[in-house]
Amino acid sequence: MGLFGGTFDPVHFGHLRLAEESIGHLGLGRVRWIPAGQPPHRGMPQVTAAQRLEMVLRSTAENDHFSVDPSEVDTAEPSYTVHTLERLRRELGAEQSLVLLVGADAFAGLSSWYRWRDLFALAHIAVSHRPGFPVEVASLPHELATEFNDRRQADAACLKASPAGSVVTFAMTQLAISATQIRKLLSNGLSARYLLPDSVLDYINLHQLYKK
Ligand code: ATP
């Protein structure tokens, strides 16, 4: 099972392709999307957590391989990935293979996450990167580079062989879309069409989100 966390402020086609391509590249049965509640790493998002959740629900509704986990949104606690993984372990058992999906940019900051080393005991980590630009070990913080080198496996088959502990990488279609760019476009009254699903854009327009 893939686990895909993010602020999704708002969700866009970069997120959707990461989740979709991870299924094929990593042999995942499904991907559980986990919108962050109150992200500990950044300022408060401009829209409510419930609204971000709703946008993720709309964008994933028609994909049978996707499900959405509202647990981080439903709690007032700050969302730490390690707590979410601990809860999922209790829910799904020790044997279930869990694969945390992260983009290369998010992975590069992993060693700043709360109790980051504990993540490896709870899940595998799959890092997506641009085609032709593999994860550069030299650019990672030293401690993270060491974990990456020790845990890295070339074959995604390792993800099925054990419940947690490996790191794999995979190339995905490059879509230089960011939620920051979308928020900027919308706040300047410009079109964000074709960067995110129409169903999400309709919701944004309906609720007048990301307006200046
Ligand atoms: P922001 O611009 O607000 O920082 P974002 O677009 O990077 O947001 P997040 O919700 O912070 O989106 O990202 C969730 C996950 O999706 C992260 O692992 C990130 O690396 C990945 N991701 C974001 N945008 C893309 C993209 N265009 N292609 C592939 N992965 C992406």
Side-chain angles (χ1 to χ4, degrees):
M1 179 191 292
L3 306 172
F4 188 31
T7 317
F8 306 128
D9 186 25
V11 60
H12 55 67
F13 285 132
H15 301 133
L16 286 154
R17 281 305 300 183
L18 188 158
E20 179 74 359
E21 295 191 22
S22 71
I23 290 174
H25 285 305
L26 308 175
L28 303 178
R30 56 217 149 113
V31 172
R32 193 188 277 216
W33 291 63
I34 312 176
Q38 193 183 321
H41 280 113
R42 39 196 282 171
M44 281 297 286
Q46 297 191 1
V47 307
T48 66
Q51 287 172 322
R52 289 185 290 101
L53 170 66
E54 178 59 31
M55 292 188 275
V56 172
L57 284 166
R58 284 178 172 233
S59 68
T60 56
E62 279 166 28
N63 190 321
D64 290 341
H65 297 287
F66 291 167
S67 62
V68 181
D69 182 335
S71 60
E72 291 193 5
V73 169
D74 286 346
T75 163
E77 303 285 309
S79 24
Y80 290 112
T81 302
V82 70
H83 290 158
T84 300
L85 292 182
E86 284 171 341
R87 184 183 52 73
L88 286 171
R89 272 280 160 234
R90 286 195 293 276
E91 185 187 314
L92 302 167
E95 298 308 316
Q96 166 79 52
S97 170
L98 297 177
V99 184
L100 189 63
L101 306 172
V102 291
D105 60 330
F107 181 73
L110 194 85
S111 52
S112 69
W113 293 17
Y114 177 60
R115 288 176 49 203
W116 70 279
R117 286 180 192 281
D118 293 343
L119 299 173
F120 298 108
L122 293 159
H124 300 293
I125 299 185
V127 188
S128 73
H129 60 82
R130 293 188 286 157
F133 293 87
V135 176
E136 263 189 57
V137 186
S139 67
L140 298 175
H142 178 69
E143 289 179 325
L144 182 60
T146 305
E147 291 286 353
F148 182 75
N149 280 331
D150 290 350
R151 296 178 178 280
R152 185 170 190 188
Q153 301 283 340
D155 188 351
C158 71
L159 303 176
K160 284 202 183 95
S162 66
S166 298
V167 177
V168 299
T169 66
F170 65 101
M172 65 164 279
T173 306
Q174 182 178 351
L175 289 168
I177 303 171
S178 72
T180 304
Q181 173 203 12
I182 292 171
R183 291 195 301 272
K184 229 176 248 168
L185 287 170
L186 295 171
S187 82
N188 288 324
L190 296 170
S191 168
R193 206 169 170 201
Y194 309 128
L195 298 175
L196 69 175
D198 285 343
S199 60
V200 176
L201 205 47
D202 289 347
Y203 182 86
I204 288 171
N205 290 332
L206 185 67
H207 295 276
Q208 306 259 305
L209 305 180
Y210 307 111
K211 287 257 150 82
K212 219 173 225 154

